[in-house]
């Protein structure tokens, strides 16, 4: 009898575990996780969060496409690139930030001082990334054709090594890589993204997760927005948690968070127009065929707007 009871309890426990709601979230360099933990917004969850860490947006979106995660945080450029490639993903919340940390970097002793100086040179970045985006936007601003430079498509760690070894002439990257390299005295900024890129990041989710886990996604987006609002007032506590999680000095996140000033914004006409700018830039650059280019309003899901409002 005792064995039977234990067996029944085991079956019941297994059933409960299997029935537990789980939201699988992809994170880049501890960004959302450190923020939400520091802000204390993860208390009282009625579901389980499973975090997966990625070095950049591209592998995060690949995991989302494969069904390995439900949601994550990415920049506007890789989101655009993934959508055009057929990844079943929508943006469910939007955030703006200053673009000091999105930059084209050269070695500190490099002779290159402007984007025009980079004509005919080699630039390392991730294909379809915000680093790729800022180079294309900077070339247009300078009146140079997109093929004025040679791209070496490398992940951040390899791109940094390529720059320091002289294998490339410049590195187009984002945070925390920019602040880390600047504080180490290794690089100089030729052009940042301010004024030429929209400065949008998105909380994104797969179409499948939106259909099956909408309440979880709405709750997560709401908590993330609350955490962003909290960090905007004082980034120091966030920097402490992020530093411990990632293992970099606090000076890196303090520089990053302080100048980025992330803030939640509604998915409205302005955001839709800016996302369309990204799509159009990639079409002009030949990265997205015009026949496959999505419309911004089709890949931005404004129905989570109320759910993503800051909780008072």
């Amino acid at each position: 009898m005792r064995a039977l009871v234990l067996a029944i309890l085991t079956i019941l426990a297994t059933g409960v575990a299997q029935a537990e709601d789980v939201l699988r979230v992809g994170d880049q360099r501890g960004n959302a996780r450190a923020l939400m933990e520091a802000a204390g917004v993860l208390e009282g969850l009625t579901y389980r969060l499973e975090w997966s860490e990625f070095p950049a947006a591209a592998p995060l979106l690949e995991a989302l496409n494969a069904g390995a995660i439900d949601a994550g945080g990415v920049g506007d450029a890789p989101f655009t690139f993934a959508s055009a490639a057929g990844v079943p993903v929508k943006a469910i919340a939007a955030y703006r930030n200053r673009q000091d940390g999105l930059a084209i970097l050269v070695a500190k002793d490099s002779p290159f001082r402007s984007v025009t100086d980079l004509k005919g040179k080699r630039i390392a970045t991730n294909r379809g990334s915000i680093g790729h985006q800022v180079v294309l936007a900077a070339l247009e601003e300078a009146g140079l054709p997109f093929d004025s430079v040679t791209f070496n498509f490398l992940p951040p760690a390899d791109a940094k090594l390529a720059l320091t070894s002289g294998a490339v002439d410049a590195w187009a990257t984002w945070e925390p890589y920019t602040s880390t390299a600047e504080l180490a005295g290794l690089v100089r900024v030729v052009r940042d993204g301010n004024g030429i890129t929209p400065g949008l990041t998105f909380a994104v989710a797969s179409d499948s997760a939106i259909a099956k886990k909408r309440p979880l996604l709405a709750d997560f987006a709401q908590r993330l927005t609350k955490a962003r609002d909290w960090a905007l007032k004082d980034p120091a506590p966030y920097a402490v948690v992020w530093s411990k999680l990632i293992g970099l000095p606090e000076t890196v996140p303090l520089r990053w968070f302080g100048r980025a000033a992330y803030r939640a914004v509604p998915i409205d006409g302005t955001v839709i127009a800016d996302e369309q700018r990204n799509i159009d830039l990639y079409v002009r650059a030949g990265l997205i065929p015009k026949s496959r280019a999505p419309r911004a309003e089709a890949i931005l899901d404004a129905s989570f707007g109320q759910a993503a409002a800051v909780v008072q």
Side-chain angles (χ1 to χ4, degrees):
M1 178 62 71
R2 182 179 178 185
L4 178 61
V5 170
L6 288 173
I8 292 172
L9 290 174
T10 300
I11 291 171
L12 289 173
T14 302
V16 169
Q18 290 175 342
E20 182 184 14
D21 288 328
V22 178
L23 187 65
R24 302 166 302 164
V25 178
D27 201 15
Q28 292 187 62
R29 299 288 289 170
N31 193 340
R33 181 180 177 183
L35 170 63
M36 297 175 84
E37 288 180 357
V41 300
L42 294 179
E43 297 176 6
L45 285 177
T46 58
Y47 53 94
R48 179 161 51 90
L49 271 180
E50 287 185 355
W51 295 100
S52 295
E53 185 69 30
F54 297 91
L60 186 156
L61 287 160
E62 289 170 7
L64 188 142
N65 189 37
I69 59 174
D70 301 310
V74 296
D76 51 3
F79 167 69
T80 301
F81 202 62
S83 296
V87 176
V89 61
K90 300 288 189 302
I92 64 171
Y95 307 90
R96 284 198 189 273
N97 60 283
R98 283 187 52 81
Q99 297 289 71
D100 304 70
L102 172 59
I104 303 171
L105 308 176
V106 295
K108 193 173 182 179
D109 58 355
S110 168
F112 308 126
R113 296 283 170 178
S114 68
V115 173
T116 303
D117 291 339
L118 294 174
K119 183 178 179 181
K121 306 305 179 184
R122 302 155 298 174
I123 302 178
T125 194
N126 269 45
R127 180 176 175 83
S129 67
I130 54 177
H132 198 174
Q133 174 198 43
V134 75
V135 176
L136 297 176
L139 290 172
E140 277 201 329
E141 180 190 43
L144 296 173
F146 295 122
D147 61 0
S148 295
V149 300
T150 298
F151 285 101
N152 286 34
F153 294 119
L154 299 169
D158 293 340
K160 179 182 178 180
L161 181 60
L163 179 65
T164 56
S165 68
V168 298
D169 304 292
W171 172 28
T173 193
W174 53 89
E175 298 287 18
Y177 305 106
T178 301
S179 286
T180 303
E182 284 181 309
L183 289 168
L186 300 174
V187 298
R188 177 167 38 80
V189 174
V190 167
R191 182 63 167 102
D192 63 30
N194 286 313
I196 56 173
T197 59
L200 283 169
T201 59
F202 296 117
V204 302
S206 67
D207 289 349
S208 175
I210 290 173
K212 298 176 183 178
K213 300 183 179 183
R214 174 173 283 269
L216 278 64
L217 290 169
D219 180 77
F220 179 82
Q222 187 179 61
R223 292 171 187 267
L224 178 58
T225 296
K226 184 178 180 181
R228 286 277 179 223
D229 183 64
W230 169 84
L232 188 59
K233 297 180 177 74
D234 180 9
Y238 174 20
V240 171
V241 176
W242 187 93
S243 177
K244 290 179 180 177
L245 182 65
I246 300 301
L248 288 173
E250 287 178 28
T251 51
V252 171
L254 280 172
R255 183 184 183 89
W256 169 16
F257 305 152
R259 64 185 182 179
Y262 288 93
R263 64 193 188 281
V265 294
I267 295 178
D268 58 11
T270 302
V271 167
I272 291 171
D274 280 343
E275 173 54 21
Q276 190 62 50
R277 281 176 56 198
N278 292 325
I279 296 168
D280 294 343
L281 174 64
Y282 276 8
V283 170
R284 290 194 302 274
L287 292 176
I288 297 176
K290 192 171 183 179
S291 61
R292 290 174 52 189
R295 296 299 301 172
E297 59 268 23
I299 58 176
L300 302 178
D301 189 340
S303 70
F304 286 83
Q306 185 60 37
V310 176
V311 180
Q312 300 299 329

